[in-house]
Amino acid sequence: MKISGAQAFIKCLEEQGVEVIFGFPGGAVIDLYDELLKQDKITHVLVRHEQAAVHAADAYGRVRGEVGVALATSGPGATNTVTGIASAYCDSIPMVVFTGQVPTMLIGNDAFQEVDIVGITRPVTKHNYLVKKAEDLVPTIREAFHIARTGRPGPVLVDLPKDVISAMINFPEPQPIKMRTYRPTYEPHPGQIEKACKAILKAKKPVIYAGGGVIASNSSEELTELATKLGIPVTMTLMGLGGFPGTHDLSMGMLGMHGTYYANMAVAHCDLLIAVGARFDDRVTGRIDAFAPHAKIIHVDIDPSSISKNVGVDIPIVADCKHALTAMNSWLDRTEACDAAATVKKHEPWRNEIDAWKKKHPLGYVQDSDIIKPQFVVEKLHELTGGNAIITTEVGQNQMWAAQFYKFNKPRNFMTSGGLGVMGYGFPAAIGAQMAAPNRTVIDIAGDGSLQMNIQELATARQYKCPVKIAILNNNYLGMVRQWQELFYDKQYSATVLDVAPDFVLLAQAYGAVGLRARKPSEVEPVIKEALATDNTVIMDFVIAREEGVFPMVPAGKATTEMLLV
Amino acid sequence: MKHTISVLLQNKPGVLSRVTGLFSGRGFNIESLSVNQTLEADVSCLTLVTTGDDAIVEQITKQLHKLIDVIKVTDNSETDCVEREMILIRVKAEANTRAEVLRIIDIFRGKVVDVGPKTYMIEMTGNAHKLQAVVDLLRPIGIQEIVRTGTIAMIRAHKN
Ligand SMILES: Cc1ncc(C[n+]2csc(CCOP(=O)(O)OP(=O)(O)O)c2C)c(N)n1
Ligand SMILES: [Mg+2]
């Protein structure tokens, strides 16, 4: 029996286990929307801007450990998805984005709402497809999901011409996907594992540097095992937070531009750096020749092109982090030369050295009585949620304070636009996260500037009864840029003062959400408590010390030991 | 250093733009490029010449490999291979220079493929050095136009 392309599309999503998709309709995808209405297995979340659909799908996928799905119409719908796709690409987030396209016979004609979205998104997708023949539709969708979720994950775009969606086709039986040109390496080379383990046993000052790959591969348990077995201190990238418990004694928190003093000092002085699922991004390394200058480097990554891209690596291990860490742990367990307890003891002087740095310059701030410090808000959020909330962030100072002061003990609890740094990510991401985990507390730690980039999603949150909480660290500035201007541009606050700002409390109310405000430190806790007890979308507007800065800070292009500390 | 890289690709629409887009997007340069079908109708071979230090070329090959439609990437600089380009040259050929032109192209085993009232069109193959040498020799006589293909390369058979 033949079915329409649109029906096949729905069947494909079901086959992939998709329960929620985020989208916005238009002429080119109207057939898909007609089919969506006729079924009840897949919930469609109607966003108010296609960019939000993609960020929501991103966070949904991250919370669930599945492939997020977004849907947009042709032309402007498709172009609106680009920022979200680029963000997911930079952060290696598994996702499939479907876009409508004009009928195949009109492609290339400058037809109404025609854009070459495959051409536009080529550099920001793991792969993309224009489905030209109806019989290719189903195999293409299956391949798209396969590519998105395997190897180094990433977004895949599938462009669907209108006539392909309306054509009548046979639905082919699912078959194992065999691709001649795409076979990611999961298993590590045993010889490399042995080399790495021997180097680990030899090291006197080892550091584990864990990135988003630990989260993507679900290997935080294996990582924790390795670190605790041998007493190795761990630092995480922004994307890696939660990959190792943030409150653990061995955790040094985040490294890099706004990392902790002690994490950066430890990396600068270590003799072995064990990089796991991280990519030596410039925000982590600072001046590249001064990064881990005394260290031998082990690098575990599933993407061979990440290895030795920015920093030369001594022991490369191309593999899925989980497989590699498991292999390392079992090598260490069965090797007589490895006396774990003795190794933990051997590293004690090194840990003491790090503790001394920690005592010298802990992460901190001064909360005086009359004005709210943003760090205090984040600490209170941590305390009052028991550290168990899903936190999303916008971009800027708010993002860094969240990363520094909310101690993540579990993976998949922190969603941020790390690689691309998209203002406007956090709120739609919070909606996506809430759809993925309806019973969890989801908080967007927001900046007043960023939130306005996707504020329209208040309607979406209300429509789908997402009780997400938005905590605005309101400095009435584009604060992070202002901080750079303060430090490096003679305090010339060019275009960073938000002269006109909405009243966020009234704005929340206008959408039927709840708005709360705190102006004094003593009001922070009651506001958070009330928000957490409210079964509705809530904006908490925290009026914070306007010119508070994020510290430590490694100025761009400087060595990570050249931190500004105030 | 110059590297000649061969890339086997799935012969699908848009594949070439994935390769060239990768080069422009990542700031790698392409000095020449040539692409055509292989024995298998659905596989193309793309040969490109690029310059860069070892780290850059390593990144280029890894990034090429990462493209979903790429089957195989070989950096020919690491192997013993035959490299060829083809050139078409329109050169002035008047009574007093004709013999000289023919002598030069004969030495380089080129041939005349078209004759005009005052010009010859010459076809020649060889590696980039040889073709450049011919161009340099003919230039004083008067070259009007040249068209040159990208390099293609094939690994030599293993001896013994
Ligand atoms: C879409 C986008 N545009 C511009 C920037 C550059 N940028 C980075 S942080 C920042 C300021 C953000 O202001 P706000 O959201 O109020 O956060 P704050 O730093 O004040 O906490 C800007 C403009 C960006 N990251 N994303
Ligand atoms: Mg701000």
Side-chain angles (χ1 to χ4, degrees), chain A residues 89 118 122-123 125-129 132 143 147 152 179-182 303-309, chain B residues 10 12-14 17-18 20-22 26 40 42-43 58-59 62-63 65-71:
Chain A
Y89 183 67
V118 166
R122 195 194 55 230
T125 48
K126 183 169 172 186
H127 197 54
N128 59 16
Y129 299 89
K132 280 195 172 150
E143 205 171 279
I147 290 174
R152 177 177 178 172
M179 292 178 66
R180 174 177 185 183
T181 58
Y182 173 70
D303 177 1
S305 76
S306 275
I307 288 172
S308 292
K309 181 171 72 180
Chain B
Q10 215 117 49
K12 286 186 187 161
S17 72
R18 291 186 199 275
T20 54
L22 189 151
R26 292 187 180 266
E40 289 176 71
D42 57 350
V43 176
E58 185 184 329
Q59 249 316 287
K62 284 174 169 176
Q63 291 293 348
H65 215 99
K66 214 165 123 175
L67 296 176
I68 303 286
D69 289 327
V70 166
I71 301 167

Side-chain angles (χ1 to χ4, degrees), chain A residues 41-63:
Chain A
K41 290 199 183 116
I42 298 162
T43 304
H44 173 266
V45 175
L46 175 65
V47 294
R48 299 303 192 264
H49 187 296
E50 290 87 350
Q51 182 193 349
V54 184
H55 292 326
D58 170 317
Y60 181 92
R62 279 157 95 159
V63 170

Side-chain angles (χ1 to χ4, degrees), chain A residues 112-439:
Chain A
F112 178 63
Q113 295 194 329
E114 178 192 357
V115 295
D116 174 14
I117 196 64
V118 166
I120 289 171
T121 57
R122 195 194 55 230
V124 293
T125 48
K126 183 169 172 186
H127 197 54
N128 59 16
Y129 299 89
L130 166 62
V131 183
K132 280 195 172 150
K133 287 188 252 142
E135 68 260 32
D136 291 341
L137 176 67
V138 174
T140 303
I141 294 177
R142 287 173 179 158
E143 205 171 279
F145 275 88
H146 173 71
I147 290 174
R149 71 160 68 93
T150 53
R152 177 177 178 172
V156 178
L157 179 135
V158 184
D159 199 19
L160 303 169
K162 188 159 176 159
D163 54 325
V164 167
I165 304 173
S166 58
M168 297 304 284
I169 55 169
N170 290 313
F171 190 79
E173 284 302 307
Q175 275 171 357
I177 294 191
K178 274 196 238 123
M179 292 178 66
R180 174 177 185 183
T181 58
Y182 173 70
R183 289 191 213 105
T185 309
Y186 281 80
E187 287 305 327
H189 190 287
Q192 294 299 94
I193 292 293
E194 184 173 334
K195 262 196 218 162
C197 289
K198 285 184 172 160
I200 292 173
L201 290 179
K202 235 173 91 189
K204 294 200 179 76
K205 300 180 169 195
V207 164
I208 293 175
Y209 148 46
V214 172
I215 316 268
S217 62
N218 297 315
S219 53
S220 53
E221 261 176 51
E222 290 78 3
L223 180 82
T224 308
E225 184 186 331
L226 176 67
T228 50
K229 194 197 303 281
L230 303 179
I232 305 173
V234 181
T235 180
M236 286 157 276
T237 67
L238 182 65
M239 292 300 297
L241 291 175
F244 183 80
T247 55
H248 197 287
D249 281 348
L250 289 171
S251 170
M252 301 184 288
M254 188 168 72
L255 81 167
M257 182 174 269
H258 291 296
T260 62
Y261 175 76
Y262 35 102
N264 284 337
M265 291 303 276
V267 170
H269 291 87
C270 69
D271 65 356
L272 179 73
L273 187 70
I274 308 159
V276 188
R279 60 188 178 92
F280 299 82
D281 171 78
D282 56 278
R283 286 295 190 262
V284 159
T285 62
R287 208 181 80 219
I288 205 99
D289 57 300
F291 181 72
H294 314 295
K296 208 178 188 134
I297 298 180
I298 299 171
H299 188 185
V300 182
D301 205 295
I302 198 161
D303 177 1
S305 76
S306 275
I307 288 172
S308 292
K309 181 171 72 180
N310 303 334
V311 171
V313 169
D314 301 289
I315 308 176
I317 301 175
V318 176
D320 179 86
C321 296
K322 196 179 184 82
H323 293 238
L325 289 166
T326 305
M328 283 157 87
N329 284 329
S330 79
W331 191 95
L332 291 165
D333 287 345
R334 64 170 193 266
T335 303
E336 282 178 25
C338 169
D339 179 342
T343 313
V344 173
K345 193 140 181 39
K346 183 182 86 178
H347 294 151
E348 205 173 282
W350 172 229
R351 287 192 302 272
N352 290 341
E353 207 174 323
I354 293 170
D355 279 342
W357 285 319
K358 202 173 193 165
K359 288 215 180 70
K360 193 168 160 205
H361 294 293
L363 263 188
Y365 63 96
V366 183
Q367 176 62 69
D368 30 48
S369 61
D370 52 337
I371 183 121
I372 301 171
K373 286 293 175 74
Q375 302 92 330
F376 175 71
V377 176
V378 178
E379 280 192 343
K380 275 286 165 201
L381 286 169
H382 182 261
E383 181 191 320
L384 297 171
T385 56
N388 286 323
I390 294 176
I391 302 291
T392 69
T393 76
E394 301 296 340
V395 168
Q397 295 182 311
N398 57 85
Q399 179 185 35
M400 292 299 116
W401 287 318
Q404 291 179 333
F405 289 90
Y406 199 101
K407 307 284 180 219
F408 296 92
N409 278 335
K410 295 215 183 82
R412 304 194 181 280
N413 280 353
F414 182 54
M415 322 287 141
T416 195
S417 174
L420 197 65
V422 180
M423 289 173 68
Y425 171 86
F427 182 30
I431 294 172
Q434 190 78 79
M435 291 303 296
N439 299 321

Side-chain angles (χ1 to χ4, degrees), chain B:
Chain B
M1 199 191 127
K2 250 195 185 108
H3 288 253
T4 308
I5 296 174
S6 298
V7 189
L8 285 183
L9 300 161
Q10 215 117 49
N11 192 356
K12 286 186 187 161
V15 175
L16 187 58
S17 72
R18 291 186 199 275
V19 174
T20 54
L22 189 151
F23 274 72
S24 59
R26 292 187 180 266
F28 305 144
N29 69 336
I30 301 182
E31 293 194 358
S32 88
L33 181 121
S34 133
V35 57
N36 214 329
Q37 258 182 26
T38 62
L39 272 180
E40 289 176 71
D42 57 350
V43 176
S44 301
C45 179
L46 179 151
T47 314
L48 59 86
V49 179
T50 184
T51 43
D53 60 28
D54 288 352
I56 291 178
V57 174
E58 185 184 329
Q59 249 316 287
I60 292 176
T61 36
K62 284 174 169 176
Q63 291 293 348
L64 281 168
H65 215 99
K66 214 165 123 175
L67 296 176
I68 303 286
D69 289 327
V70 166
I71 301 167
K72 193 174 168 207
V73 183
T74 333
D75 181 355
N76 293 307
S77 329
E78 290 159 9
T79 59
D80 187 13
C81 68
V82 175
E83 292 188 3
R84 289 291 180 271
E85 292 176 17
M86 187 173 113
I87 193 169
L88 295 173
I89 308 172
R90 195 189 316 279
V91 61
K92 268 201 212 143
E94 287 166 29
N96 56 342
T97 55
R98 257 179 216 160
E100 174 69 3
V101 168
L102 290 175
R103 215 168 19 245
I104 291 171
I105 65 168
D106 196 40
I107 296 169
F108 287 91
R109 277 179 282 164
K111 56 185 179 196
V112 177
V113 288
D114 183 52
V115 179
K118 289 179 176 171
T119 59
Y120 284 158
M121 190 197 302
I122 293 155
E123 172 199 308
M124 199 176 297
T125 62
N127 64 26
H129 286 299
K130 171 180 159 185
L131 299 189
Q132 194 55 49
V134 175
V135 169
D136 291 343
L137 282 170
L138 291 177
R139 203 187 295 270
I141 298 170
I143 296 178
Q144 292 184 340
E145 191 183 356
I146 64 169
V147 179
R148 216 161 145 169
T149 65
T151 300
I152 54 171
M154 190 183 273
I155 297 176
R156 287 181 196 276
H158 285 294
K159 304 286 148 57
N160 59 53

Side-chain angles (χ1 to χ4, degrees), chain A residues 394-399 401 420-423 446-451 453 473 475 477-481 498:
Chain A
E394 301 296 340
V395 168
Q397 295 182 311
N398 57 85
Q399 179 185 35
W401 287 318
L420 197 65
V422 180
M423 289 173 68
D448 49 309
S450 300
L451 182 63
M453 287 219 172
L473 305 178
N475 49 17
Y477 276 129
L478 298 173
M480 185 56 94
V481 182
L498 297 171

Side-chain angles (χ1 to χ4, degrees), chain A residues 7-21:
Chain A
Q7 286 167 327
F9 167 83
I10 304 279
K11 275 187 86 158
C12 282
L13 295 189
E14 281 176 14
E15 189 181 285
Q16 298 294 334
V18 175
E19 290 170 18
V20 179
I21 71 172

